Amino acid sequence: MKIMKFGGTSVGRPERMHQVKDLITRGEESKIVVLSALSGTTNSLVNIGEALAAADKVLAKAKIDELHTHYNEFYPKLVTTETARKKAQEIIKEHFEFLNILLKISFNEAINRDILAQGELLSTKLFYTLLEELKIPAVFLSALDFMSIDENAEPELQKISDRLKSILAQHPEDTIFITQGFICKNHLNEVDNLKRGGSDYTASLIAAAIQATACEIWTDIDGMHNNDPRIVDKTRPIAEMSFDEAAELAYFGAKILHPASIWPAQQFNVPVKLLNTMDPEANGTLIKAKVESIGVKAIAAKDGITAIKIKSSRMLLAYGFLRKVFEIFEKYKTPIDMITTSEVAVSVTIDDLSHLEHILEELGTFCSVEVDRDQTIICIVGNMVSESKGAIQSVIDSLIEYPVRMVSFGGSRHNVSVLVDSKFKKEALQSLNQDLFTW
Ligand code: ASP
Ligand code: MG
């Protein structure tokens, strides 16, 4: 059994949903189909939640109506028979009645998460209606019956696996299952989610839970590219990469994949394929345990980074200094991305600034701190980059024109990271793109 996950743009128009129908009905293998919300829907739901949180009912109502109109225009192009249209109408009515009721009650965070769940519920139900109309046998699975996270918002993989396997066992003859990405239940049994872009994570968790043969992530581009196609002129898809390489790239800004979505598949060695709905025959990118190719494979960039230089003469020959520093970040639940050290100073980068003031205050009690905002981490990823001859040299040479604030090399075999002021990002990416790949 394999997993096929389709993102928002792949289900965002009625004709796209028809393409998805074609794709899931090819081949004999059974599949669990994971759908995102129609593109734009989750953003609208976020806006509705924000308007309600700000007690702006007029704005919330306007946003709900706008989204409602979108769905009312969507379904007649999706299905054609009287019965199917009635059914689609009922589904839309039910979910928008729910949203409208929220205008009359008091708002809280749990309700907000319920709001965010509407997108995936709508997309899967409407898609299922299409399958029914076309008499394509399929089973509708509610992700809320098996996907769950614990009190630290970590997915409960074993429980997910147990529940899902027992649900699937009730349908031994069926071969197509439809379910929602993104949504889950939390430890209080409330509706929750896996954070924005989390449908990829759902797909990978399900793949791990049932030890699927493959986890296919269908998007609107032909795989992971060797550089950001929105920024540099010439990019190309990467044919294959290892789980470790993909995880670094996803974390450091390759928008195509949710950063957490590698580990579940990796843990159970399920190959992940990034495929293009608009061009299903294209090779895309295959992510698996071991790859043969050596050398630089891709470059990704992550913006919104703040660098903190922590300096103390007491650091000289002292032990325990780093622990003291890191404890402060731990206390404020702030993850550190890059670290570089010298004998008297350490620089770290963070992207979550929610507790920056407190962190700086506490660091300031035993060292001097300097802060550089608006920085970009450029991450150069490849198999054995740190062991290939001259790899670091070519990165440095390529960046000769730009001030590099930090370099991190040797932390893993797959990665060289450099930190530059965001104003140099575009040119730095272009230059690396030209110099590190053979065109
Ligand atoms: N619909 C959710 C979002 O837009 C989840 C996803 O599409 O992956 O973030
Ligand atoms: Mg996505």
Side-chain angles (χ1 to χ4, degrees):
M1 190 169 219
K2 67 174 178 178
I3 314 304
M4 298 178 83
K5 178 258 165 178
F6 294 89
T9 46
S10 302
V11 292
R13 293 209 232 120
E15 63 274 21
R16 297 267 158 80
M17 271 203 181
H18 282 261
Q19 278 172 325
V20 171
K21 177 265 301 170
D22 292 339
L23 289 170
I24 67 161
T25 46
R26 302 197 304 185
E28 293 297 302
E29 191 173 12
S30 330
K31 58 239 357 158
I32 298 182
V33 178
V34 176
L35 301 185
S36 289
L38 314 197
S39 50
T41 294
T42 310
N43 286 342
S44 298
L45 294 169
V46 167
N47 294 336
I48 292 167
E50 282 170 356
L52 287 170
D56 190 342
K57 303 224 157 149
V58 178
L59 180 64
K61 175 78 180 134
K63 298 265 171 210
I64 294 171
D65 289 347
E66 195 185 320
L67 192 62
H68 198 166
T69 307
H70 181 68
Y71 279 86
N72 280 337
E73 288 168 2
F74 186 93
Y75 83 85
K77 296 186 205 120
L78 179 71
V79 288
T80 44
T81 60
E82 184 78 16
T83 335
R85 284 193 173 165
K86 243 208 169 98
K87 193 144 182 244
Q89 250 170 22
E90 283 299 318
I91 292 164
I92 294 165
K93 185 163 161 248
E94 176 199 330
H95 287 275
F96 282 89
E97 263 172 17
F98 170 75
L99 289 174
N100 277 301
I101 285 172
L102 303 180
L103 296 166
K104 299 189 189 118
I105 63 173
S106 54
F107 179 82
N108 61 42
E109 259 320 299
I111 288 180
N112 197 29
R113 292 190 294 262
D114 260 314
I115 296 175
L116 295 182
Q118 301 307 304
E120 272 70 12
L121 292 170
L122 276 161
S123 67
T124 47
K125 288 183 188 179
L126 291 173
F127 183 67
Y128 191 71
T129 308
L130 171 66
L131 297 184
E132 280 182 325
E133 171 172 52
L134 301 172
K135 305 216 162 33
I136 297 167
V139 179
F140 185 88
L141 301 179
S142 172
L144 300 177
D145 291 339
F146 59 89
M147 287 298 293
S148 63
I149 52 175
D150 64 17
E151 56 277 18
N152 297 314
E154 290 298 327
E156 303 177 306
L157 190 49
Q158 189 57 52
K159 288 187 188 168
I160 295 169
S161 173
D162 294 344
R163 291 187 207 110
L164 186 54
K165 282 179 179 163
S166 87
I167 295 172
L168 293 175
Q170 294 161 24
H171 305 277
E173 305 296 325
D174 290 288
T175 58
I176 301 178
F177 297 85
I178 312 297
T179 195
Q180 304 82 30
F182 182 58
I183 64 173
C184 61
K185 285 278 186 81
N186 64 22
H187 69 295
L188 300 171
N189 204 30
E190 297 163 344
V191 173
D192 210 317
N193 61 65
L194 301 173
K195 308 272 161 7
R196 292 307 304 273
S199 294
D200 298 336
Y201 200 12
T202 303
S204 178
L205 287 164
I206 294 181
I210 62 158
Q211 283 105 53
T213 54
C215 178
E216 298 180 355
I217 307 283
W218 291 82
T219 62
D220 54 354
I221 114 164
D222 48 356
M224 182 108 69
H225 276 227
N226 67 325
N227 207 326
D228 191 334
R230 292 161 306 179
I231 295 176
V232 306
D233 301 333
K234 221 166 48 166
T235 66
R236 59 172 179 231
I238 306 162
E240 55 167 51
M241 58 198 324
S242 68
F243 287 121
D244 289 331
E245 292 171 317
E248 305 247 20
L249 274 179
Y251 181 68
F252 284 107
K255 289 280 177 308
I256 182 170
L257 206 57
H258 184 283
S261 60
I262 295 296
W263 76 258
Q266 180 168 24
Q267 201 169 325
F268 290 89
N269 204 9
V270 180
V272 176
K273 295 179 191 167
L274 308 180
L275 297 163
N276 187 353
T277 321
M278 320 294 165
D279 185 5
E281 305 314 324
N283 288 332
T285 300
L286 172 63
I287 303 167
K288 56 183 185 154
K290 278 217 165 17
V291 292
E292 301 302 324
S293 44
I294 287 187
V296 174
K297 216 163 278 174
I299 298 168
K302 191 174 179 196
D303 295 329
I305 303 292
T306 295
I308 308 171
K309 189 192 288 163
I310 302 150
K311 210 170 149 187
S312 166
S313 49
R314 269 180 282 162
M315 187 179 168
L316 205 65
L317 300 175
Y319 49 83
F321 180 80
L322 287 178
R323 180 183 49 76
K324 253 174 103 176
V325 167
F326 290 150
E327 264 172 6
I328 295 172
F329 289 88
E330 185 182 348
K331 178 172 166 193
Y332 292 103
K333 295 197 161 93
T334 301
I336 293 172
D337 287 331
M338 262 175 99
I339 310 168
T340 55
T341 62
S342 82
E343 202 44 70
V344 292
V346 49
S347 277
V348 302
T349 68
I350 59 173
D351 69 347
D352 177 355
L353 303 182
S354 356
H355 302 288
L356 183 61
E357 291 317 312
H358 289 119
I359 291 171
L360 295 180
E361 202 174 292
E362 292 204 23
L363 286 170
T365 61
F366 64 98
C367 33
S368 72
V369 280
E370 263 173 54
V371 177
D372 292 313
R373 291 167 194 266
D374 299 322
Q375 305 286 305
T376 293
I377 294 177
I378 298 180
C379 169
I380 296 115
V381 167
N383 194 19
M384 316 273 264
V385 167
S386 66
E387 282 153 43
S388 340
K389 246 188 188 166
I392 184 84
Q393 181 73 36
S394 43
V395 172
I396 301 288
D397 282 350
S398 185
L399 295 176
I400 196 111
E401 299 293 328
Y402 315 103
V404 172
R405 166 75 174 76
M406 285 167 71
V407 180
S408 177
F409 176 63
S412 91
R413 301 160 105 188
H414 317 288
N415 170 331
V416 182
S417 293
V418 296
L419 188 74
V420 297
D421 194 302
S422 300
K423 65 179 178 232
F424 301 118
K425 168 184 165 182
K426 189 178 160 88
E427 293 157 67
L429 284 181
Q430 290 273 25
S431 176
L432 288 166
N433 198 49
Q434 228 149 57
D435 298 343
L436 299 189
F437 302 104
T438 37
W439 291 99

